[in-house]
Amino acid sequence: MNGFLKNKDLLAGLMFIAIGTVFVVGAYNYQMGTAARMGPGFFPRILGFMMAGLGVLIAFLGLKNQAKWAATAGIGWTWTPVIILTVAVVLFGVTLPTLGMIIAISLLTFISGFAAHDKNYRELVFITVIMCIFCAGVFIWGLKLQMKLFPWS
């Protein structure tokens, strides 16, 4: 069985998030009111937000405990690839308007490649070239989006 399905804190947090979201969406059509004069949607909406927030906290703690267990047991996953991928995506978003699509995609794929346990740089270069050609074909030539291909274009 998958390790995520055994993580009861993660599953409980996801359940709280789902129930809280149902309450918030269900109370959307009711009038909110104010804290002094509460409307019929005030209590379910506040309760839903609190329940979803509690669910996020519980799910985060469950993931944190699972990451500690995986790091000590030598199996599962750790936070390092998650941080590397997050940095790569944020860097892509920052560099796309200024450096152009080709350089931004190249940075994204190379930095994301460091998150893998088995790094194969030949495959990484191949994936980078294919992604650059595909994205340029779809977004710039196919959809005709107005974005830079290179910094000088």
Side-chain angles (χ1 to χ4, degrees):
M1 189 192 297
N2 192 354
F4 283 105
L5 297 178
K6 291 180 182 177
N7 190 342
K8 293 180 182 173
D9 286 339
L10 176 64
L11 293 176
L14 292 176
M15 182 185 69
F16 280 145
I17 292 170
I19 293 171
T21 304
V22 167
F23 271 89
V24 170
V25 170
Y28 184 73
N29 291 328
Y30 295 114
Q31 191 175 10
M32 179 77 170
T34 64
R37 296 185 56 90
M38 295 179 209
F42 189 87
F43 185 71
R45 198 174 299 170
I46 296 298
L47 184 68
F49 279 124
M50 288 174 47
M51 186 173 264
L54 181 65
V56 168
L57 180 67
I58 291 172
F60 176 75
L61 291 175
L63 284 175
K64 183 179 166 191
N65 291 338
Q66 184 168 354
K68 278 185 190 175
W69 173 79
T72 57
I75 57 174
W77 62 278
T78 59
W79 284 103
T80 307
V82 175
I83 293 170
I84 291 172
L85 291 175
T86 303
V87 167
V89 171
V90 168
L91 189 65
F92 173 78
V94 169
T95 59
L96 182 62
T98 56
L99 297 179
M101 180 183 284
I102 300 298
I103 294 176
I105 291 174
S106 299
L107 286 172
L108 174 72
T109 54
F110 278 121
I111 293 172
S112 298
F114 288 110
H117 295 291
D118 53 343
K119 296 170 186 65
N120 186 345
Y121 295 107
R122 182 179 293 160
E123 287 179 1
L124 197 58
V125 169
F126 180 73
I127 289 171
T128 302
V129 170
I130 295 299
M131 286 298 296
C132 289
I133 293 170
F134 177 76
C135 290
V138 169
F139 295 113
I140 294 184
W141 299 309
L143 295 174
K144 297 187 181 1
L145 293 180
Q146 299 295 319
M147 65 175 66
K148 294 179 180 180
L149 197 57
F150 294 101
W152 55 85
S153 60

